[in-house]
Amino acid sequence: MLVPLAGAVALAVLLGVAAFVIFNRDHDCSGGKLPLRVVATPDIQPALNKIAGNYNKAMHSIDSKCVDVTVAKEAAARTANALAAGKATADFWVADSSLLMETMRTTPAGKALPETEGSIATSPVVLAAAKSAAAKLSGSLTPSWSGMIAAANVANVDGPGKKVRVLALDPQKNSAGLAALLAAAGTAKEAGQDKALVGALKELSGQMASDSTALLASLTVKSGSKVPVGVTSEQAIYAHNTKKPEAPVVALYPEEGTLSLDYPVTILTKDAATLKAAADFKQALTTESAVKILHEAGFRTTDGKAGATLSKEKGFTPETPPALNPPDGATVARMVQTWSRLNLGTRLLTLLDVSGTMALPVTGTGMTRMQAIGKIATEGLSLFPADSELGVWTFSTHLDGRGKDWKELVPVGPLTESLNGTLRKDLLVKQLTTTQAKATGDTGLNDTLKAAYTEMIKTYQQDKINTILILTDGAGNDDPDGGIKNPAILKFLQETYNPKRPVSIILIAFGPDAAPGKQQMDALAKATGGEAYIAKNILQVRDFFLQGMERRLCSPNCDG
């Protein structure tokens, strides 16, 4: 009886020794630790940190050193800036979107960036609303990118924006914000909504939250009569609801489809041993246990499959949402540039025609031309953020003493600046709505334009779009007492315009007298990289404000 027992003991000892040898061969830490520094965006960092903890406990060995993974939290834009400056310290980077990587590759520093090595999770970008307010959106806003554009379009005064306020994330700092704009822009292009998109972008630039946490929190705070709707990632909504179950938010999936954050991996280290460790940890991120952790944090798999956390009961749609075609690098770069140019500061001097014909009635409106143009110009003020610098002159003939055809009503300056106890913005509204036409006045446009252009060149500001806006009934230059003739003002503008310090002219004419002067109007505008428009009806002026805004995107090379 002892012989078999002794044999069994010996076999157990041998098996134990073999297991010990095999374990230590695969988990040999005799050489110490091999640090792997991972940096990840704040949304996915907690899940990766948990995966890294399990990975470290399993004692993964590379060249007799156990890999020691640490996962730091850092916004993707900040890491990107550090990389561009050559100051990044990470070995392994998990950004939130390939869109950011595409943007980086268009820069000189980004050209040396290693290629990404696939993604580890996804989260679709969606619209979001407080659960308590979502029902109020019925009939006002269809969950779609086109609906978002309509609601945010500042020029669509009678649209869904009367009942809905759209909040955005800064696309220069947040990948979900960039993805939302790219999805909206692609939808707008297909639907021919370019002007509406410009109006929406201008409005959204003034309705931005610092990050998804702040955006989602603001959706649940009642403020005014409009229902707030935001744009963020599905996972951000899940994280918000987990932390604040008393103020839940629901995801609204755009009917056209959407773009997703895809959490690409970029291995930055060049050290041979650390490269092996990075490859091993990357493989660990695809294991069943790692996918489970990511699912529990509200992420989807790389093919869009959701875990149990994204259930209908919790306000989500578990099915994979339709995907829009991802934009290429050039498209991403254009959107970033578009956003930057639209949000450059504004210096705008408006020249308001107050000649006698402006007192004539506009058929079917109950208003004079003066009143109609004043009303639309007042609406146009809403296109400009608070840091804009605006002013207004009127022009006719002999307005400010004999021989001077213009009068400065409000000097160009910040809208929020106080002039004699009144904010400039309020003063502009007052002047635009109360100014009367001069019954006996002619149209001394050319003399006025030379004076205005000289002033704007003299006070030019490099960090702003400098523009002269002419609002007239289209009679052109009519100055019986003399003044500058058409060829002379055109020559002046051609000689004075500097494309490196551009001051552009936008000319909007309204009325039956506009068409005969269109050729000269075009010449004046084109000489400064601007544009001239004739409105067939007063409502068209709103569109022309937006078209003028669109030219900010290409100035000073819009026509060449």
Side-chain angles (χ1 to χ4, degrees):
M1 293 179 61
L2 292 176
V3 173
L5 179 60
V9 171
L11 179 61
V13 170
L14 287 173
L15 290 173
V17 170
F20 179 80
V21 170
I22 293 171
F23 178 84
N24 281 278
R25 184 184 64 204
D26 292 340
H27 306 272
D28 179 9
C29 299
S30 61
K33 292 184 178 181
L34 175 60
L36 179 67
R37 296 162 298 184
V38 176
V39 64
T41 53
D43 49 353
I44 204 169
Q45 187 269 347
L48 293 187
N49 197 48
K50 189 173 182 180
I51 295 170
N54 294 338
Y55 177 89
N56 290 340
K57 289 178 183 178
M59 299 175 65
H60 289 255
S61 178
I62 301 292
D63 299 336
S64 300
K65 292 183 179 181
C66 268
V67 181
D68 182 35
V69 180
T70 56
V71 186
K73 181 189 303 182
E74 187 172 70
R78 186 169 183 176
T79 306
N81 289 334
L83 281 170
K87 297 180 179 180
T89 58
D91 302 313
F92 189 111
W93 179 30
V94 181
D96 51 7
S97 174
S98 295
L99 297 175
L100 176 67
M101 313 303 289
E102 292 289 351
T103 303
M104 284 191 65
R105 292 188 196 285
T106 62
T107 66
K111 292 179 181 178
L113 189 69
E115 291 294 327
T116 58
E117 302 197 10
S119 66
I120 58 173
T122 59
S123 186
V125 175
V126 297
L127 303 180
K131 186 177 182 179
S132 59
K136 298 178 183 177
L137 294 173
S138 178
S140 299
L141 179 72
T142 301
S144 63
W145 298 118
S146 59
M148 185 196 83
I149 292 170
N153 181 5
V154 70
N156 187 11
V157 294
D158 299 318
K162 294 174 68 174
K163 297 182 179 180
V164 177
R165 179 167 62 94
V166 183
L167 305 178
L169 294 168
D170 189 342
Q172 293 182 312
K173 299 178 181 179
N174 189 287
S175 294
L178 178 58
L181 289 192
L182 286 163
T187 301
K189 186 175 181 180
E190 288 186 8
Q193 291 183 311
D194 290 346
K195 290 195 295 295
L197 177 65
V198 173
L201 292 182
K202 282 304 300 177
E203 175 69 7
L204 293 175
S205 68
Q207 301 286 345
M208 288 191 299
S210 57
D211 54 36
S212 291
T213 300
L215 183 146
L216 291 168
S218 68
L219 296 182
T220 61
V221 177
K222 188 173 181 179
S223 177
S225 59
K226 294 184 179 182
V227 177
V229 174
V231 182
T232 187
S233 71
E234 182 184 64
Q235 190 276 336
I237 296 174
Y238 174 78
H240 168 86
N241 290 347
T242 301
K243 293 177 182 178
K244 297 186 176 181
E246 75 283 359
V249 171
V250 295
L252 307 173
Y253 297 82
E255 62 182 16
E256 304 98 336
T258 190
L259 298 172
S260 292
L261 303 184
D262 59 344
Y263 302 93
V265 169
T266 306
I267 296 177
L268 302 173
T269 183
K270 295 182 180 179
D271 178 76
T274 311
L275 279 170
K276 293 179 184 178
D280 192 61
F281 182 62
K282 179 177 175 293
Q283 182 63 33
L285 294 175
T286 65
T287 62
E288 185 176 341
S289 61
V291 171
K292 182 180 178 183
I293 290 172
L294 290 166
H295 269 161
E296 289 172 347
F299 295 96
R300 293 174 181 256
T301 57
T302 54
D303 59 358
K305 291 181 180 178
T309 53
L310 299 177
S311 65
K312 289 184 178 179
E313 292 74 22
K314 295 179 180 179
F316 301 97
T317 299
E319 294 79 18
T320 305
L324 295 174
N325 292 327
D328 57 23
T331 301
V332 176
R334 280 196 301 272
M335 174 52 73
V336 172
Q337 183 183 44
T338 293
W339 182 261
S340 298
R341 290 196 65 81
L342 273 175
N343 288 284
L344 280 175
T346 294
R347 269 189 96 243
L348 177 73
L349 172 57
T350 297
L351 305 182
L352 186 62
D353 185 353
V354 294
S355 60
T357 54
M358 291 291 284
L360 295 174
V362 178
T363 303
T365 67
M367 295 184 288
T368 65
R369 295 179 186 177
M370 187 80 257
Q371 291 170 330
I373 287 291
K375 180 177 183 297
I376 295 298
T378 302
E379 287 183 7
L381 282 175
S382 63
L383 288 171
F384 302 100
D387 61 352
S388 299
E389 296 190 7
L390 273 65
V392 63
W393 294 6
T394 52
F395 70 95
S396 179
T397 48
H398 309 303
L399 272 190
D400 195 11
R402 185 74 184 173
K404 188 177 178 182
D405 295 339
W406 66 93
K407 184 175 182 179
E408 182 182 71
L409 297 185
V410 182
V412 176
L415 286 175
T416 53
E417 186 178 53
S418 180
L419 299 174
N420 299 321
T422 304
L423 287 179
R424 179 177 269 102
K425 183 175 183 178
D426 295 335
L427 194 56
L428 285 166
V429 171
K430 180 181 178 180
Q431 293 293 349
L432 290 170
T433 54
T434 61
T435 296
Q436 300 292 315
K438 181 181 178 181
T440 59
D442 293 302
T443 312
L445 173 61
N446 290 351
D447 284 3
T448 303
L449 183 54
K450 182 177 181 180
Y453 205 84
T454 301
E455 176 65 17
M456 290 294 281
I457 289 292
K458 179 182 176 181
T459 58
Y460 182 86
Q461 292 188 22
Q462 191 72 42
D463 63 337
K464 293 180 172 62
I465 300 291
N466 297 258
T467 308
I468 292 175
L469 171 65
I470 302 171
L471 296 175
T472 178
D473 64 356
N477 186 71
D478 179 22
D479 193 352
D481 296 329
I484 301 172
K485 303 302 180 185
N486 285 348
I489 188 63
L490 185 57
K491 182 179 179 182
F492 166 77
L493 292 174
Q494 291 168 339
E495 292 177 347
T496 308
Y497 176 72
N498 181 354
K500 293 183 179 179
R501 292 168 60 87
V503 176
S504 297
I505 294 172
I506 303 296
L507 202 157
I508 301 178
F510 172 73
D513 302 319
K518 184 63 164 63
Q519 185 175 356
Q520 177 67 5
M521 288 166 50
D522 285 339
L524 295 175
K526 297 295 184 184
T528 62
E531 190 68 76
Y533 307 99
I534 293 180
K536 294 180 180 179
N537 60 70
I538 198 67
L539 295 180
Q540 267 193 301
V541 178
R542 295 174 182 169
D543 284 341
F544 295 151
F545 268 105
L546 289 182
Q547 288 182 39
M549 195 71 67
E550 278 187 281
R551 294 189 69 84
R552 295 168 66 105
L553 311 184
C554 55
S555 178
N557 302 307
C558 296
D559 305 303

